[in-house]
Amino acid sequence: MTGGSPRVPPSVGDALDLLPLVFARPADALAGARVVLAGAPSFHDASVAHQVIGIWQRDFGDLTTAIGHLRQARALAARSGSADRETDVLSTLGAALVHAGRTRQGMTALEAAVERGGGLTGARALFRRGYTWWVLGGHREALDDLRRAIPALRRAQDTIWTARALTLRATVHLAMGSVERAEADFVAAERLWDTTDQEHDKADAVESRGLAAFRSGDLPAALHHFDEAASRYKALGTPMFVLHIRRCGVLLAAGLAREALEEADAATELLNRTGGQTTRGAELLLIAARAAIAAGEPHAAIARAGTAVRLFSSQRRDWWQAHARLVLVQARFAAGEISGRSVRDAAAVALRLAELRAPEAVQASLLAGRTALALGADAEAERHLAAAARGRSRGPAFARVDGWVAQALRAAVAGRTRGVLDACRRGLDLLDEYRMTLGASELRARATAQGAELALLAQRATLAGGSPRRFLGWSERWRATALAVPPTRPPDDPELLRDVTAFREISSRIEAARQKGSPAPALEREQRRLEKGIRDRTLRMRGEGGTDGHRFDVDLLLDELGDGWLIEIVAVDGDLHVLLCGRGRVRRFAAGRLADAAIDADHARAGLSRIAYGGSAARLPVLEAGGRRLQESLLGPAVRHLGEGPVVVVPPGRLHGVPWALLPALGTRVLSVSPSASAWLRARRIEPSPSRERVVLVRGPGLATGGAEIPPLAAGYGEATVLENGTAVTSAVLAALDGSRLAHIAAHGTFRSDSPMFSSLGMDDGPLTVHDLERLRSAPYRIVLSSCDSGRLQPVGANELLGLATALLPLGTAGIVASSVPVDDETVVPLMLALHEGLRRGLSMAEALRDARLSMPGDALHRATGWSFSAIGAA
C-alpha cells in the first residue's frame, strides 16, 4: 500500500471505533486492528479486528486474504455470544464472497444476515445487500433494500451509514437513467459527509458527483470531480478501481479511446497483481473492450469482451453480462463478422437491455438495424431502427445522437432524402451544443467523431440528389468545426503554470542530454508525468456553451472568391469528389480513391525529405512524376476546368499534408490551403487593426544556419521586436506575439503525432507548445514559421486538425506560411527573404510565397524547399 507510514494509535479504546475508521483513515484502522490482535483481546474485540482487516483487504488489498479474515471474524463473533456482532460480520462476508465471484454463497450469507438482523444492525445488513445487488446489476432489488434501510438508519441517527445509503441509492438511480433523483441524493449525502471525518467516503462522494456530471453530459465537470477524487484516494493510499472504470467511460465519450484503453489495461494489471476483487476485474475488461473497439482494435475487443461475458456469467451478474454481450456483438460487427446470427444476437441483447431498462438498449437496437441493413434485410432493419430511434429524445446529448443516426438510416432505406437531412441536421445541432460545452480544443476536435456518420449520411443523400451546392453545404457542415470559435483560454491556475514551467525545464534538460548522447530515463518519466498533468487540467476546462452561430453560405463564398477558385476535396466512402467553386458556380467532378492519394502524398513527402537531407538531384524527376500522379488522383478532370486566378484548396483532414505546390497545375499559381471553406471565409473577414503594427522576429537556438534570415529581416523592417540569443524565452515570445501584425519564428519545430497539443517550437528556455499558444489573447495577424514540420497537422475526430497552425487560426491569425515536411535550413533562408520582400510590397502571404518560390534557383534542393511550404488561410 502507498501513502506513507500509518499513524499508529498508542492504544485502542473501544474496538468498534475501528470500523468507521476503515473509510476515514484506512491505514490507521489497519494499524489499530493489528494493535488489538497483538494484545489479549476478547472474542468480541478480536472479531472486530479481523473484520476491519478483512474490509481493508477486500477493498484495498487481496480478496482471498480478506475472506480468510472475515471467516475468522465470524467464528469469533459466534464465540462472543453477540448476535448483532455475528450478523454484522456475516453481511460483510457475504459482500466479499460476491466480489470474489462466489455469488451464490455470498447472497446466501447476506440473506441470512438480513433475516437475523434487527434495528440498526439489520439496516446495515440491508444496505450491504443493496450494495451487492448494485454490484450484480439488480437495480430494482437494490432500491427495495435501500428503501427499507434508509429510514431505519435515519431513526438511529447513524450519519455515516445514512450518507453511504444515500450515495448508493444515487448511484443506482444513475444506472437507471434517473439523473435528477441521483442529484438530490448526492446533495443530501454530501451534507451529511461534511459533518464527519470519513475521508475515504468523502472521496467516494466526489467520485460519485463526477459520475452524475458524466451522466448529465458535462464531461469537463466529470473529469474535474474524478481528478479531485483521485487526489484524495492517493493521499489515503487506497486503490481506485471503480474510479478508473468510470474515468475510462468519460475518456471514451470524449473521443480519447487510446487513453481509455491504456488506463483500463493498466488498472487490470494492478488488480491482478494485488489479488483484488474479481468483480472489478470483469468490469475493467468490459470497459477495455469498449475502448478497444473505439481505438480500432476489434479483435482485441472480442477477446476482452468474451472473457468479461464468461466472468459475469459465473458471477451471476445478469445486468453486466447483458452489457458485455452488447460490446461483444459490437466488436464482432467492427471486425466484419456479419451474418443472420449477428442480427439475432444484437436483437436478443437489445430485448434484454430493454427489459433491464438500460439506456444502452438503443445502441443494441441500432446495431441490429445496421447488421440487417448490411445483409439487405430492410424490413427487419426498419423494426430495429425504429426501436433505436426512440432514444433520440432521452439522455444527454452524446447519447441521443444514436437515436438520430437510427432515424436517418430509416429515412435513407425508405429513400426519403428530406427525412435523412432533417435527422442529420438535428443530430449535428445536438452535438454542436454539446461540443461547445467543452473548453479544450482537443476535446472539441475529437468530439466531432460522433457526428461523422450523420455527416456521411447527409453527404450520400445530397450526392445522390445531384446538387453540387447542397453537397458542398453538407460537406462543410461538419468540417473543421473546432476552429470555428477560439478555445477557452487556460485558467491562471498556479499548479498548471508550475507544471508548464517544469515541463519546459525538463524538456530542455532532456534535449541537452540527447545532444551529449546520454540517455535520461528518469527525466523522460518526469516529462511524461508533467505532460499528463497539463493535459488533464486542460481537458477539464469548460466551454461557454451555445453554438458558434455560423451557417455556411455558398453564395457568400462565391462572391468572396471573385476571380479566384476554391477547390474542396471531399471523401465519401473512400472516393474523392472535387467541388470546383468559382465564377458563380459549384461543379462536382469525380477524382481518385482516398487511400491511393494518401499513399502518393506520403511518397511525395518522403521524396521532399530525402532531397532536403542531401538526396541526389536525380530524384527530382521521380518527385515531379509523383506530383503528376497526385494531381490526377486529387483533382481528376476538374483540373481541365480550372481557369486563371488564385486557388484555395480545402482538402480532407487526412490529406492536409499534401505538398500542393508540387502539383503541376498549382505550382505557379497564387495558392493557399484552408481546413474548410468556412475557415477561409472567417479569415477573409479578419482585418488587421491599426494598432497591430508590431513586427516580431524570433530566432531560436540550435539552427544549422543560426537563423541567418533574422538579421537582414530586422534591418528590412526597421523597428521590429527581435528576440534571440537568450532573450527568445517563452514568456517574452508570447508577450511579443500577442496582438502583433506580423511574426516570423525561426526555430526548430517538433510535431507530436501521439499528442499534437505538445507539438512545439524550440525557444531558449525550452519548447513553446500549442498549449502555450492557446494562452494568447490575440494571435499575430500573419505569422511565418520557417522551421521543419511547423505546418504539420494531425487529423482527429471527423475532419478536424490539431497542431501549431490550427491553434492560431481561431485566435485571429488570418495567414500562415509553414512547412509540413523537413526542409534544408540553409536553402530556407533565401526563400524567407524573398517571401518578406513580397510582404513588404503589400502582397498577400500566398502571393508572396508564389513569387518567392519562382525566384529560387532551379536546382533540386531549392525547388524541393519551395514545394515544402504552404500558405494557410486568407491573408
Side-chain angles (χ1 to χ4, degrees):
M1 187 185 80
T2 59
S5 301
R7 299 185 301 277
V8 180
S11 63
V12 177
D14 189 341
L16 287 172
D17 291 340
L18 293 173
L19 282 169
L21 201 62
V22 176
F23 296 107
R25 300 192 304 277
D28 288 355
L30 183 64
R34 288 171 175 161
V35 167
V36 169
L37 293 176
S42 65
F43 292 133
H44 178 280
D45 287 359
S47 169
V48 172
H50 278 291
Q51 184 182 10
V52 167
I53 296 172
I55 293 172
W56 190 95
Q57 290 287 356
R58 181 194 69 192
D59 288 353
F60 313 129
D62 179 79
L63 197 53
T64 302
T65 302
I67 291 172
H69 279 284
L70 292 174
R71 291 193 187 283
Q72 284 183 273
R74 184 188 177 190
L76 290 164
R79 297 182 70 182
S80 75
S82 170
D84 278 352
R85 176 97 287 275
E86 187 174 2
T87 298
D88 194 66
V89 175
L90 187 60
S91 60
T92 305
L93 174 61
L97 288 167
V98 169
H99 273 306
R102 305 178 199 175
T103 303
R104 181 176 294 175
Q105 293 178 45
M107 291 308 295
T108 298
L110 282 159
E111 286 162 10
V114 169
E115 185 177 339
R116 294 180 189 181
L120 180 58
T121 302
R124 291 176 176 178
L126 278 167
F127 164 81
R128 287 185 175 122
R129 190 173 71 175
Y131 167 80
T132 305
W133 277 123
W134 169 68
V135 169
L136 295 173
H139 299 134
R140 297 241 167 246
E141 295 87 346
L143 290 177
D144 287 343
D145 279 349
L146 293 170
R147 177 179 50 80
R148 295 168 58 193
I150 289 172
L153 293 170
R154 280 177 167 153
R155 282 194 301 273
Q157 298 183 338
D158 190 329
T159 301
I160 292 172
W161 284 82
T162 302
R164 286 174 182 164
L166 288 170
T167 301
L168 175 59
R169 188 169 71 179
T171 304
V172 176
H173 280 316
L174 280 180
M176 299 179 72
S178 301
V179 177
E180 291 183 1
R181 290 181 180 179
E183 283 284 0
D185 276 346
F186 279 136
V187 169
E190 284 195 37
R191 290 197 191 103
L192 295 176
W193 288 129
D194 286 342
T195 67
T196 74
D197 62 353
Q198 295 294 115
E199 297 306 323
H200 191 276
D201 282 314
K202 288 179 181 179
D204 182 68
V206 173
E207 177 186 336
S208 297
R209 290 304 298 270
L211 180 61
F214 173 45
R215 296 288 189 186
S216 65
D218 191 344
L219 266 64
L223 290 170
H224 173 78
H225 287 307
F226 287 161
D227 286 349
E228 182 184 344
S231 177
R232 293 185 182 213
Y233 288 135
K234 186 176 180 181
L236 292 168
T238 59
M240 41 192 168
F241 296 112
V242 175
L243 177 61
H244 285 305
I245 294 165
R246 290 170 172 173
R247 191 170 184 276
C248 286
V250 176
L251 292 174
L252 280 176
L256 302 170
R258 179 60 53 187
E259 290 87 336
L261 180 58
E262 290 173 357
E263 182 165 340
D265 283 348
T268 299
E269 182 183 349
L270 175 62
L271 184 139
N272 291 337
R273 192 167 63 247
T274 58
Q277 299 166 353
T278 58
T279 50
R280 300 305 179 210
E283 293 165 28
L284 282 165
L285 280 171
L286 176 57
I287 196 68
R290 286 182 55 209
I293 295 173
E297 300 182 19
H299 294 290
I302 290 171
R304 289 172 172 83
T307 303
V309 168
R310 291 190 291 274
L311 285 171
F312 288 133
S313 177
S314 68
Q315 295 166 1
R316 299 176 180 270
R317 301 172 72 186
D318 185 50
W319 187 92
W320 287 96
Q321 186 182 357
H323 284 76
R325 288 193 181 280
L326 168 61
V327 175
L328 180 58
V329 177
Q330 289 172 326
R332 287 172 175 163
F333 182 85
E337 299 178 18
I338 300 172
S339 64
R341 180 181 175 181
S342 303
V343 181
R344 293 191 294 275
D345 287 347
V349 171
L351 179 62
R352 184 61 188 132
L353 289 170
E355 290 171 351
L356 293 168
R357 298 191 179 184
E360 290 79 7
V362 171
Q363 296 178 28
S365 292
L366 178 57
L367 179 60
R370 286 189 205 280
T371 311
L373 282 179
L375 295 172
D378 290 357
E380 187 174 5
E382 162 60 23
R383 180 161 50 86
H384 296 302
L385 292 173
R390 289 194 284 272
R392 64 191 188 277
S393 60
R394 298 191 299 270
F398 57 79
R400 289 155 58 193
V401 171
D402 284 337
W404 285 112
V405 171
Q407 185 71 358
L409 286 171
R410 293 178 70 200
V413 172
R416 295 184 287 107
T417 299
R418 182 176 296 179
V420 173
L421 298 182
D422 179 65
C424 292
R425 182 179 298 108
R426 296 179 72 173
L428 292 176
D429 285 349
L430 197 65
L431 279 175
D432 262 334
E433 293 180 15
Y434 158 65
R435 182 174 52 81
M436 295 302 290
T437 67
L438 307 174
S441 54
E442 181 178 3
L443 281 192
R444 286 185 184 177
R446 294 186 185 278
T448 61
Q450 197 171 3
E453 185 173 7
L454 287 168
L456 176 60
L457 287 169
Q459 286 177 319
R460 286 174 179 165
T462 53
L463 187 60
S467 170
R469 279 177 171 250
R470 293 181 76 186
F471 185 53
L472 174 62
W474 275 103
S475 297
E476 278 289 304
R477 176 66 182 83
W478 207 238
R479 184 192 286 256
T481 59
L483 303 182
V485 292
T488 301
R489 290 188 75 241
D492 292 328
D493 177 350
E495 292 187 8
L496 175 60
L497 295 174
R498 180 201 64 201
D499 282 357
V500 168
T501 302
F503 169 78
R504 193 170 291 118
E505 169 64 22
I506 290 290
S507 299
S508 296
R509 291 169 62 187
I510 290 172
E511 183 59 31
R514 284 175 182 161
Q515 290 178 1
K516 294 178 182 178
S518 304
L523 291 178
E524 289 171 356
R525 285 194 298 272
E526 178 64 7
Q527 183 187 48
R528 289 193 294 271
R529 186 192 71 79
L530 290 167
E531 273 191 23
K532 184 178 185 305
I534 294 166
R535 190 160 179 258
D536 286 349
R537 287 192 177 88
T538 305
L539 296 181
R540 298 197 305 245
M541 294 189 304
R542 292 188 57 80
E544 301 299 326
T547 65
D548 58 26
H550 175 73
R551 287 292 179 266
F552 180 64
D553 186 331
V554 176
D555 290 327
L556 177 60
L557 172 67
L558 294 172
D559 288 344
E560 286 287 342
L561 284 170
D563 293 331
W565 302 89
L566 183 139
I567 300 171
E568 180 144 338
I569 304 172
V570 183
V572 178
D573 296 321
D575 291 321
L576 295 178
H577 302 266
V578 179
L579 291 166
L580 183 59
C581 309
R583 309 300 195 270
R585 299 176 61 190
V586 179
R587 286 175 286 174
R588 184 184 68 82
F589 301 89
R593 295 283 295 172
L594 175 62
D596 295 337
I599 291 171
D600 287 342
D602 287 343
H603 287 163
R605 287 169 49 81
L608 289 171
S609 298
R610 283 193 289 269
I611 290 176
Y613 288 123
S616 168
R619 293 183 181 274
L620 190 60
V622 177
L623 193 57
E624 291 175 319
R628 291 190 291 272
R629 285 195 305 274
L630 263 177
Q631 179 167 292
E632 181 61 28
S633 59
L634 290 172
L635 304 183
V639 73
R640 295 192 291 273
H641 300 267
L642 191 59
E644 298 296 322
V647 174
V648 181
V649 178
V650 177
R654 190 174 169 190
L655 297 175
H656 216 278
V658 168
W660 296 98
L662 182 61
L663 277 59
L666 303 180
T668 59
R669 288 180 182 265
V670 175
L671 171 67
S672 59
V673 185
S674 180
S676 69
S678 299
W680 183 79
L681 283 172
R682 284 193 296 274
R684 289 276 291 179
R685 289 194 290 268
I686 299 174
E687 293 289 341
S689 170
S691 62
R692 297 173 63 165
E693 290 301 314
R694 186 168 65 258
V695 174
V696 179
L697 305 173
V698 179
R699 176 159 48 171
L703 295 169
T705 66
E709 75 262 34
I710 296 299
L713 289 179
Y717 282 110
E719 297 182 359
T721 299
V722 181
L723 298 171
E724 58 184 353
N725 301 326
T727 64
V729 295
T730 302
S731 58
V733 170
L734 289 173
L737 292 179
D738 213 325
S740 61
R741 178 172 61 89
L742 172 64
H744 179 108
I745 301 179
H748 279 303
T750 301
F751 178 72
R752 290 277 302 275
S753 59
D754 63 317
S755 188
M757 299 299 285
F758 282 95
S759 296
S760 62
L761 298 168
M763 298 292 109
D764 286 333
D765 61 338
L768 184 154
T769 69
V770 176
H771 288 295
D772 293 311
L773 291 174
E774 288 191 341
R775 300 187 67 84
L776 292 171
R777 290 184 298 272
S778 178
Y781 176 68
R782 288 174 170 172
I783 187 166
V784 179
L785 303 172
S786 63
S787 59
C788 297
D789 282 350
S790 54
R792 280 188 68 186
L793 301 170
Q794 179 73 9
V796 298
N799 227 320
E800 303 294 314
L801 297 160
L802 293 176
L804 289 163
T806 53
L808 296 163
L809 292 174
L811 294 173
T813 293
I816 302 169
V817 166
S819 167
S820 59
V821 294
V823 289
D824 176 74
D825 285 350
E826 292 186 4
T827 315
V828 164
V829 174
L831 182 73
M832 291 297 104
L833 294 177
L835 170 75
H836 281 275
E837 181 182 342
L839 293 178
R840 285 195 296 270
R841 295 201 316 267
L843 300 182
S844 70
M845 300 285 264
E847 290 169 334
L849 181 59
R850 187 273 311 266
D851 289 359
R853 190 183 290 127
L854 295 178
S855 72
M856 292 297 100
D859 62 274
L861 186 56
H862 282 87
R863 293 184 69 187
T865 302
W867 286 329
S868 298
F869 281 87
S870 296
I872 304 170

